[in-house]
Each structure stands twice: as structure tokens, then as C-alpha cells.
């Protein structure tokens, strides 16, 4: 449990606070969820057991990797 808490803390430090879910798709027991965080928008991969319970989550890449996309800069008037 402590390891999971530490992983979550490192993850949130890297991507920032959760903002919103932008969409999702499922393919069998794999669900991809596009999520906006304060620092990046990326896709979480959630692995489901046949009984509907989550068996694993693949968190977004580090912001300097290609799969993590920085949030667009707000437009200025």
C-alpha cells in the first residue's frame, strides 16, 4: 500500500492535478482513458479482470516523452 501511495505522489508531481476526463475507449479488458492533468494531457491504460475489477493501470509517460502532450498555452487577447 505504501508503494502505491508513493507511486501516486510521484505521478501527481510529474503531471499535476487531475482536471478532467476527455474520453475513453475499451477493447476487451483494456480501457484507455484520455485525461487532462494540470501539466499534460495523456492516456491512462486500465487493465480490467473479467469480473470487472481493475488489475492494473499504466500511468502516462513522463512529460518529456513523446506520448505525453503538454497542455496548450492559453490564448491571450
Amino acid at each position: 500500500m505504501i508503494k502505491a501511495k508513493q507511486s501516486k505522489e510521484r505521478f501527481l508531481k510529474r503531471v499535476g492535478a487531475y482536471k478532467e476526463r476527455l474520453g475513453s475507449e475499451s477493447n476487451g479488458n483494456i480501457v484507455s482513458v484520455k485525461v487532462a492533468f494540470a501539466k499534460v494531457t495523456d492516456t491512462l491504460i486500465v487493465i480490467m479482470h473479467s469480473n470487472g475489477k481493475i488489475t492494473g493501470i499504466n500511468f502516462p509517460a513522463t512529460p518529456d516523452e513523446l506520448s505525453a502532450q503538454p497542455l496548450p498555452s492559453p490564448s491571450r487577447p
Side-chain angles (χ1 to χ4, degrees):
M1 194 61 124
I2 292 173
K3 186 176 179 181
K5 183 178 180 184
Q6 291 171 339
S7 293
K8 179 182 174 185
E9 289 170 357
R10 282 192 309 269
F11 168 74
L12 290 174
K13 185 175 183 179
R14 192 172 69 223
V15 300
Y18 170 82
K19 290 178 70 178
E20 65 180 311
R21 183 177 66 89
L22 302 172
S24 61
E25 294 181 16
S26 72
N27 184 4
N29 66 333
I30 306 293
V31 180
S32 49
V33 183
K34 188 167 186 174
V35 182
F37 296 94
K39 297 178 184 177
V40 298
T41 297
D42 206 356
T43 302
L44 297 174
I45 305 300
V46 181
I47 301 114
M48 308 290 290
H49 188 274
S50 59
N51 65 8
K53 293 186 178 184
I54 295 173
T55 60
I57 299 174
N58 185 356
F59 293 113
T62 57
D64 59 345
E65 292 181 9
L66 293 176
S67 68
Q69 301 299 312
L71 292 176
S73 300
S75 45
R76 299 181 187 227

